[in-house]
Amino acid sequence: MNAVNPETKKPRMERDAVATRARILNVATREFARRGFEGATTDDIADKAHVNKRMIYHYFGSKERLYLAVLEEAYATARHAEEKLKLDADDPVSALSRLAEFTFDSFARDRTFISLLNTENRNEAKVLRKSEKIRAMNSTVLKAVDTILRQGEARGVFRSGLDAFQVWVSMVSLSYFYFSNIHTLSIVGGSRLSEAEALAARRRHVVDFVLAGVRA
Amino acid sequence: MNAVNPETKKPRMERDAVATRARILNVATREFARRGFEGATTDDIADKAHVNKRMIYHYFGSKERLYLAVLEEAYATARHAEEKLKLDADDPVSALSRLAEFTFDSFARDRTFISLLNTENRNEAKVLRKSEKIRAMNSTVLKAVDTILRQGEARGVFRSGLDAFQVWVSMVSLSYFYFSNIHTLSIVGGSRLSEAEALAARRRHVVDFVLAGVRA
DNA sequence: GCATTTAATAACTATCCAGTTACTTACTTG
DNA sequence: CAAGTAAGTAACTGGATAGTTATTAAATGC
């Protein structure tokens, strides 16, 4: 028989707005990435965040606005990582290969951003389009690629006339597609592409292919 | 007051098993591609196919088995198109660029397959893995790429040691990623990537980049 | 130290949705 | 042509799911 415990009658109220909001956002990020917008449920998010479901509506207003907050945070995180990256200003070949490696490693470390982008594209980017925050975060990476390409062109190591947007899309796609489609590609390739050996082989190929694609 | 019309009392029963099944499958393909497995609903599919919902269960058994049938048909269609493609057996450069063009054009024409693959990957390919039919459809394209690479290598136009799987993944990724992420990329790029001009520019770049990536 | 605001809870509602039951009507075949 | 089977319908069920109502309790501020 338990002694009457007044703390269990009306149990813990943490009353920590910052922590509760953050816990919801973290769990929601994982759930939206795993199950997509339709697949994720507010009941599940509330349970896994150890929070009363009403709190989702208290802090975010609706499922869609919670999803928007998740997207905005994911974008901010990705941009922040990009900005921390220091590229060799004097060697376009090393700068471009470093950027390709960085892209591959970012996706290899965490596929959350890929999953969210795929969900958003299936939904025709209707939510992302609305976000002033994300539209304001204009990427510095496109300018960096342009600088690298012009420098390489001037030095005669890259071919001329390359478009920064096209090259950037190509560089990203070589890593993105591998991780985005890793399950179906593993079936076609007949082996587990998430194993260390396969990852290393793909990483080498991506860097190689990007450099070969732009060289003079 | 309407005259009593016996035809409208118990309305038309078409009783065409083949047509009804096909209508369900077509609508389901569209709905699963647009909304994903969770997003699509059997009620909606039934309505849009002008079919009683019970017929979905009559012909396919469950939502998941309907989805599997959709996947299997999409794979079969893709494989069939691949097999019809005739590549120049004597010119590896033209064969590879033709294959890159074909890949781009297939995705440009219809993004259904891309959407289904993305849905399936978000779901860890759990349904696709089960399909004996799809596992049996082993692709001829990997062998074709290998043949092209070895021929180009022997003639000194491609560099040596290239892996067919890696090159194939790269070639597909350059087109796939563009179409899969066309909505979010349009925001980054600041223009509508589905416009004819943008499509033509990407197509040129893809072919260019693939050839540059493998040349000696 | 009292009034207001903010954080938190439990229980509820209306709707949706996968799958089913019970039935009818047309086609096929012995 | 009668019996059995295949194709079709309407109405229902149980469980999930986004969002709400009503209420309580801790923090804040005057």
Side-chain angles (χ1 to χ4, degrees):
Chain A
M1 271 158 261
N2 296 323
V4 174
N5 183 346
E7 281 178 18
T8 59
K9 285 176 102 173
K10 279 282 169 186
R12 36 126 201 222
M13 285 195 180
E14 286 188 28
R15 273 195 90 80
D16 186 339
V18 177
T20 303
R21 210 193 108 103
R23 224 160 55 235
I24 294 171
L25 199 60
N26 282 339
V27 172
T29 301
R30 215 180 55 209
E31 289 299 305
F32 283 131
R34 275 196 196 156
R35 326 231 181 257
F37 180 75
E38 285 87 4
T41 71
T42 53
D43 281 297
D44 227 39
I45 291 166
D47 282 359
K48 285 175 180 160
H50 305 295
V51 146
N52 189 286
K53 183 162 70 146
R54 189 68 186 77
M55 291 297 97
I56 291 176
Y57 295 88
H58 183 60
Y59 287 109
F60 297 97
S62 70
K63 186 187 182 185
E64 188 178 306
R65 292 212 305 215
L66 171 59
Y67 172 70
L68 178 60
V70 164
L71 272 184
E72 285 176 343
E73 202 206 33
Y75 254 88
T77 303
R79 284 290 145 77
H80 193 248
E82 264 175 19
E83 276 157 22
K84 277 203 305 188
L85 179 68
K86 287 286 161 223
L87 298 173
D88 191 333
D90 275 344
D91 183 351
V93 172
S94 115
L96 192 62
S97 62
R98 184 75 203 87
L99 189 56
E101 285 167 356
F102 167 81
T103 306
F104 185 93
D105 294 341
S106 301
F107 293 147
R109 193 176 308 116
D110 181 13
R111 265 175 256 163
T112 301
F113 196 45
I114 288 179
S115 299
L116 291 174
L117 280 177
N118 284 351
T119 294
E120 191 52 15
N121 274 289
R122 214 204 45 223
N123 211 38
E124 294 170 349
K126 273 172 186 154
V127 173
L128 208 149
R129 224 188 295 271
K130 284 183 210 158
S131 168
E132 283 304 319
K133 262 187 204 167
I134 292 174
R135 302 181 73 107
M137 294 181 220
N138 49 352
S139 176
T140 57
V141 77
L142 273 181
K143 256 176 208 146
V145 171
D146 188 59
T147 304
I148 292 167
L149 291 180
R150 300 291 78 83
Q151 200 180 21
E153 186 179 331
R155 298 196 186 174
V157 291
F158 293 166
R159 55 208 171 94
S160 61
L162 286 167
D163 178 69
F165 180 72
Q166 296 293 348
V167 171
W168 174 74
V169 170
S170 296
M171 186 196 66
V172 173
S173 74
L174 295 173
S175 294
Y176 188 106
F177 176 69
Y178 182 84
F179 289 108
S180 163
N181 291 51
I182 198 160
H183 297 107
T184 52
L185 284 177
S186 290
I187 293 172
V188 176
S191 63
R192 309 188 100 277
L193 299 185
S194 50
E195 279 170 6
E197 215 179 317
L199 290 171
R202 183 64 195 167
R203 191 177 191 269
R204 264 182 273 117
H205 175 85
V206 165
V207 175
D208 203 45
F209 205 80
V210 168
L211 292 179
V214 300
R215 87 203 132 131
Chain B
M1 273 158 260
N2 297 324
V4 175
N5 183 346
E7 281 178 20
T8 59
K9 286 176 105 173
K10 280 281 171 186
R12 34 128 201 229
M13 286 194 181
E14 285 188 27
R15 273 195 90 80
D16 185 340
V18 176
T20 301
R21 210 194 107 104
R23 224 160 55 235
I24 294 171
L25 200 60
N26 282 340
V27 172
T29 301
R30 215 179 56 209
E31 290 299 305
F32 283 131
R34 275 194 197 159
R35 324 231 183 258
F37 180 75
E38 285 87 5
T41 70
T42 53
D43 282 296
D44 227 40
I45 292 167
D47 282 359
K48 285 174 180 161
H50 306 294
V51 146
N52 189 285
K53 185 163 66 146
R54 190 67 188 77
M55 290 297 97
I56 291 176
Y57 295 86
H58 183 60
Y59 288 110
F60 297 96
S62 70
K63 187 187 182 186
E64 189 177 306
R65 292 213 304 213
L66 171 60
Y67 172 70
L68 177 60
V70 164
L71 272 184
E72 285 175 343
E73 201 206 35
Y75 253 89
T77 304
R79 284 289 145 77
H80 193 247
E82 265 174 20
E83 276 158 22
K84 277 203 308 189
L85 178 68
K86 286 286 161 223
L87 298 173
D88 191 332
D90 275 344
D91 184 352
V93 172
S94 115
L96 191 62
S97 63
R98 184 74 204 89
L99 190 55
E101 286 167 356
F102 167 81
T103 306
F104 184 93
D105 294 340
S106 300
F107 293 147
R109 195 176 307 117
D110 181 13
R111 266 175 257 159
T112 301
F113 196 45
I114 287 179
S115 299
L116 292 174
L117 280 177
N118 285 350
T119 294
E120 191 53 13
N121 274 288
R122 213 203 47 223
N123 212 36
E124 295 170 347
K126 274 172 187 155
V127 174
L128 207 150
R129 224 188 296 271
K130 282 183 213 160
S131 169
E132 283 304 317
K133 261 186 201 165
I134 292 174
R135 301 182 74 108
M137 292 183 220
N138 49 352
S139 178
T140 57
V141 78
L142 273 181
K143 255 177 208 148
V145 171
D146 189 59
T147 304
I148 292 167
L149 290 179
R150 300 290 79 83
Q151 199 179 21
E153 186 179 330
R155 298 196 188 175
V157 291
F158 293 167
R159 57 206 169 93
S160 61
L162 287 166
D163 178 68
F165 180 72
Q166 297 292 348
V167 171
W168 174 75
V169 170
S170 296
M171 185 196 67
V172 173
S173 74
L174 293 173
S175 293
Y176 189 105
F177 176 71
Y178 182 85
F179 289 108
S180 163
N181 291 50
I182 197 159
H183 297 107
T184 53
L185 285 176
S186 290
I187 293 173
V188 177
S191 64
R192 310 188 98 278
L193 299 186
S194 51
E195 279 170 5
E197 215 180 316
L199 289 171
R202 182 66 195 166
R203 191 178 190 270
R204 263 182 274 117
H205 175 84
V206 165
V207 175
D208 205 44
F209 205 80
V210 168
L211 291 180
V214 300
R215 89 199 132 131

